[in-house]
Amino acid sequence: MTIEFEAPKPIAQTQFVLKTVAEEMMRSKSRYFDDHEHEIPWDYIEFMHTAMKAMGAGSLAPKERDNGHDGGQKEKRPPIAYQSLAAQIEMLAWGDVGFYLVTPGGGLGAAAVQAAGTPEQKAKFLARFMGEKPTLGAMCMTEAGAGSDTSSIRTRAVLDEKTNEWILNGEKIFVTAGDKAFNEYEKLGKGFLVVWASIDPAAGRAGMRSFVVEGGTPGVKVTKLEEKLGIRASDTAAISLVDARVPFDHILGSPTVEKTTKGFKGAMATFDATRPLVAASGLGVARAALEFLKEKLAENGVEIRYGLPRQKLTNIEREVIDCEIMLKSAWLMVLKAVWMADNKQPNALESSMSKVKAGDVGTKITQKAVEILGPLGYSREFLLEKWFRDAKITDIYEGTGQINRLVVARQILGYSGAELR
Amino acid sequence: MYSFEPNEEQKMLIEAVGKYAANDLRPAGREAEEGGSLPPKLIDKGWELGVLQASIPEAYGGFGDRSAVTGALAGEELAFGNLAGALAVGVPSLFALPILLGGAEEQKQEYLPKIVEGNWTPYTAALIEFAFDFDPLALKTTATLAGGEYVLSGEKAYVPFAKEAQAMIVYAALDGVTQGFIVPKAAPGLTVADEAEKMLGLNALPTYRVKLDGVKVPKANRIGGDSGLDFERILASMRVANAAAAVGVARAAFDYARDYAKEREAFGVKIAQKQAVAFMLAEMRTEIEASRLLTWEAAWKLDTGKDDANVDAYLASTGAADMAMMVTDRAVQILGGHGYIREHPVEMWMREGRGFAMWTGFAMV
């Protein structure tokens, strides 16, 4: 081991390919799909599915094979699955973060299966993302009364011992790609939702489990598609579950209610893996905005003079330099968090810090770029105003900046949830 | 590949330097700050850790190769102990590293062994000038070639250990480009002020005003000889050092404030249990990490010869200076009234925190 910052070759190659995708397939359609909320960018979805299958990826969820565990058949490669995923996501989000969120491959749903599922469950549920048609997955965590406070989830799962099925009841909101993962579309394969529910409300967090709910399951309905500030190419669904039945082995991980928070910790472990990835998507948008800002400034004869003492910098230069410092360091924090994940090091602190930072950075850079460019920044002639709206979600979903600060604070202080509320 | 783990040698170095920082530098810090000087024995002990010696190849009397990453790791650890002490220990680097990186072969052979083979000796460098718009790339101190000699004129400020220095590198504008010149002790025309400068912080590091009134040095004293020096690269290395030291000071302030917040009670709970305080600490820790990684990357780019290393070093030091001010200010804030009194070290760190915006030229890795 040593300290190094060279992008591994496979990552650099994928980024090169994805940049073309981002420019050709995403940027050119960004405005249209922002204006036509709830229309589905089929061209992008189908293209990405074909492309990823051709690359042998199939799913954006990291695979064991890529993680250096190939049964000793081949020479062991250093594990870079999460690192390359972060780089891919950053590049796709640079293209269009709304499109990125409808990239086939399972998304957070697959990530949850990957993090909490048994080997059998992974084999069973993840294979579909390599199928004929593009397929999506989604994660149903948030409820009207339970946002970041995931422990107060009301959705219930009761085992029907006669049929050995789980019966789910509850209302979920803010499910990213929930519609495409659940509803049937001619051009999509059958996806699934991962639904978080309690199997024992008295047990609190210990009773929390996640369930795979197949697309089209009776009793489950998409009740609403949210209209949003940004990321409009992606659907954000409200989903109701009324006596929805799922097979016994669709509970991820252990079905028994131990008096521990293991199940809940499974959920949190999912977030340790996915927070830096969400952070990466925010940084992709931020980079797009910063590049656009610098391009427009250069067209107007404003060059950034790196190396000058701050007393000699113009205000615009100083602000652009600050944005670059924020973006670069935030990206390095994401890289460190996913590098730790790849190397099986506990990364709860680094993961949350990267999300805190990326939420701030995405918000500040896009806001600053609009401000500096004035009428150009505010105009819908350009995509900058859209990126300003798109970027804000990074500071909100997968834990708001505040809840992530709380997670960071508990980690650095060694406090439990009870000690620091 | 990406990797964020120091190698085995670096880990051993961090451990050794960390012990010295905690056991020697830290306890001596306050008295040195109040008294305006560091015990020579303390500096010698730090010198014996061999941070610079490990950066100089065997051919020139050292026992290793220069690595900016290793230097940054050591710099952070030292500054965590005490900044003045850290900078004092590293002063000979200000002279040795530009020669190693950009000097002519004869210069390396002449100077490097006598610096690294002996005890700590004050070889130093003069970069900063006393002006609000001081710019290392547009110096007011000039060098002109006349009759086969370089003639140096101007005034330098904040030159560490200038009073005792055996020799110093004076940076001056030669046809508008910053170049380095070796000026020996007692060169005619060179005046070092009698009294050390007084500053907002860093009182334990003796720094002096230096006047150059037509100081003549032979052509052979220009660093790099006739082809000169890539000063921007040297500046980048100084900026990385500055950033690493800022991370060290900020980490010291953060640790202290965190421990204090976990001890101090108000309204029946520890103040760390209040979100207002806990969130401040979370942001401090996050920004320290951000700066550290930026510093590491810039250092790695220096080591691997990347073209954009200079820009990255600039970003790292600019970011670290702001970060250090924010973190040290908050440390004082978290201690409240106790933060303002000199019994606790945080007021000192806050004064140091403000300095990183102008300290490029005080350290090199």
Side-chain angles (χ1 to χ4, degrees), chain A residues 216-350:
Chain A
T217 299
V220 182
K221 241 180 19 197
V222 172
T223 51
K224 189 182 175 192
L225 296 179
E226 304 290 351
E227 291 167 345
K228 303 188 294 292
L229 173 65
I231 54 166
R232 293 180 185 166
S234 156
D235 74 84
T236 300
I239 288 171
S240 82
L241 303 108
V242 180
D243 293 334
R245 290 176 168 267
V246 307
F248 179 78
D249 61 359
H250 281 210
I251 184 170
L252 292 176
S254 159
T256 53
V257 189
E258 296 141 18
K259 292 289 173 197
T260 71
T261 53
K262 215 174 149 195
F264 183 74
K265 281 183 177 153
M268 294 303 116
T270 309
F271 291 135
D272 289 345
T274 55
R275 272 179 180 146
L277 299 176
V278 172
S281 74
L283 297 180
V285 193
R287 180 163 67 90
L290 185 53
E291 285 176 5
F292 181 81
L293 170 63
K294 287 174 75 177
E295 195 184 300
K296 286 291 155 201
L297 288 175
E299 279 173 22
N300 288 277
V302 181
E303 293 287 347
I304 309 303
R305 295 168 298 167
Y306 299 96
L308 273 195
R310 57 184 75 197
Q311 299 90 322
K312 283 189 173 179
L313 292 170
T314 63
N315 187 49
I316 287 181
E317 286 175 314
R318 188 67 224 274
E319 297 200 309
V320 172
I321 285 166
D322 280 347
C323 288
E324 290 201 34
I325 291 166
M326 288 192 276
L327 184 63
K328 261 185 159 297
S329 54
W331 173 243
L332 291 168
M333 292 175 80
V334 166
L335 273 185
K336 186 179 178 188
V338 289
W339 174 83
M340 291 175 83
D342 280 333
N343 287 283
K344 309 231 177 291
Q345 297 179 10
N347 71 343
L349 173 63
E350 286 75 9

Side-chain angles (χ1 to χ4, degrees), chain A residues 86-383:
Chain A
Q88 289 166 31
I89 289 171
E90 194 270 352
M91 186 54 90
L92 290 175
W94 176 85
D96 187 299
V97 72
F99 280 40
Y100 148 66
L101 289 167
V102 293
T103 304
L108 292 182
V113 173
Q114 194 66 258
T118 62
E120 296 74 39
Q121 288 169 331
K122 288 180 197 177
K124 181 176 174 186
F125 295 123
L126 298 179
R128 69 189 64 194
F129 300 111
M130 283 292 271
E132 265 317 291
K133 289 180 182 177
T135 305
L136 282 91
M139 170 106 117
C140 307
M141 174 72 99
T142 306
E143 298 179 5
S148 292
D149 182 8
T150 46
S151 61
S152 63
I153 278 171
R154 295 276 168 269
T155 298
R156 286 286 323 265
V158 179
L159 184 64
D160 179 346
E161 285 177 2
K162 280 181 232 153
T163 60
N164 209 27
E165 288 172 319
W166 296 97
I167 304 172
L168 273 64
N169 280 287
E171 300 275 341
K172 293 289 182 178
I173 58 168
F174 298 165
V175 181
T176 301
D179 175 59
K180 292 175 199 72
F182 183 78
N183 278 327
E184 283 183 39
Y185 285 93
E186 197 187 327
K187 292 176 180 177
L188 288 181
K190 190 163 95 167
F192 61 76
L193 309 172
V194 170
V195 176
W196 285 87
S198 176
I199 52 177
D200 181 2
R205 287 176 175 179
M208 290 268 301
R209 291 293 183 279
S210 53
F211 298 84
V212 174
V213 175
E214 295 276 4
T217 299
V220 182
K221 241 180 19 197
V222 172
T223 51
K224 189 182 175 192
L225 296 179
E226 304 290 351
E227 291 167 345
K228 303 188 294 292
L229 173 65
I231 54 166
R232 293 180 185 166
S234 156
D235 74 84
T236 300
I239 288 171
S240 82
L241 303 108
V242 180
D243 293 334
R245 290 176 168 267
V246 307
F248 179 78
D249 61 359
H250 281 210
I251 184 170
L252 292 176
S254 159
T256 53
V257 189
E258 296 141 18
K259 292 289 173 197
T260 71
T261 53
K262 215 174 149 195
F264 183 74
K265 281 183 177 153
M268 294 303 116
T270 309
F271 291 135
D272 289 345
T274 55
R275 272 179 180 146
L277 299 176
V278 172
S281 74
L283 297 180
V285 193
R287 180 163 67 90
L290 185 53
E291 285 176 5
F292 181 81
L293 170 63
K294 287 174 75 177
E295 195 184 300
K296 286 291 155 201
L297 288 175
E299 279 173 22
N300 288 277
V302 181
E303 293 287 347
I304 309 303
R305 295 168 298 167
Y306 299 96
L308 273 195
R310 57 184 75 197
Q311 299 90 322
K312 283 189 173 179
L313 292 170
T314 63
N315 187 49
I316 287 181
E317 286 175 314
R318 188 67 224 274
E319 297 200 309
V320 172
I321 285 166
D322 280 347
C323 288
E324 290 201 34
I325 291 166
M326 288 192 276
L327 184 63
K328 261 185 159 297
S329 54
W331 173 243
L332 291 168
M333 292 175 80
V334 166
L335 273 185
K336 186 179 178 188
V338 289
W339 174 83
M340 291 175 83
D342 280 333
N343 287 283
K344 309 231 177 291
Q345 297 179 10
N347 71 343
L349 173 63
E350 286 75 9
S351 167
S352 279
M353 285 200 303
S354 76
K355 176 66 169 57
V356 165
K357 183 78 176 159
D360 276 355
V361 161
T363 306
K364 278 185 194 158
I365 289 180
T366 51
Q367 289 177 359
K368 191 48 82 178
V370 168
E371 181 201 327
I372 291 176
L373 292 180
L376 274 68
Y378 205 73
S379 166
R380 279 173 58 188
E381 254 179 75
F382 302 110
L383 288 171

Side-chain angles (χ1 to χ4, degrees), chain B residues 126 139 141-143 152-153 156 170-174 177-181:
Chain B
L139 295 177
T141 301
T142 55
L152 305 171
S153 290
K156 293 288 179 181
V170 172
Y171 291 100
L174 178 67
V177 178
T178 302
Q179 290 292 294
F181 301 87

Side-chain angles (χ1 to χ4, degrees), chain A residues 1-2 4 6-7 307-312 318 328 336 339 357 405 412-413 419-421, chain B residues 1-3 5 7 132 134-135 239 258 262 273 275 279 283 287 289 293 297 312 314 322:
Chain A
M1 283 293 181
T2 185
E4 274 185 78
E6 194 90 61
L308 273 195
R310 57 184 75 197
Q311 299 90 322
K312 283 189 173 179
R318 188 67 224 274
K328 261 185 159 297
K336 186 179 178 188
W339 174 83
K357 183 78 176 159
R405 275 168 176 76
I412 60 177
L413 291 163
E419 287 167 304
L420 181 60
R421 289 172 185 279
Chain B
M1 301 299 294
Y2 297 122
S3 174
E5 200 166 304
N7 63 34
F132 88 95
F134 163 69
D135 181 351
R239 284 177 165 148
R258 177 202 54 203
K262 288 185 75 174
Q273 291 176 277
Q275 284 192 359
F279 279 21
E283 287 166 4
E287 292 305 309
E289 178 83 351
L293 295 179
E297 191 192 29
D312 276 19
Y314 176 70
D322 291 343

Side-chain angles (χ1 to χ4, degrees), chain A residues 53-85:
Chain A
K53 268 178 77 174
M55 290 192 295
S59 163
L60 277 184
K63 292 190 297 289
E64 296 293 322
R65 179 172 61 81
D66 292 337
N67 235 337
H69 303 283
D70 47 15
Q73 294 298 307
K74 286 172 247 160
E75 199 186 322
K76 264 202 173 176
R77 285 170 295 174
I80 58 165
Y82 279 107
Q83 291 162 70
S84 62
L85 197 50

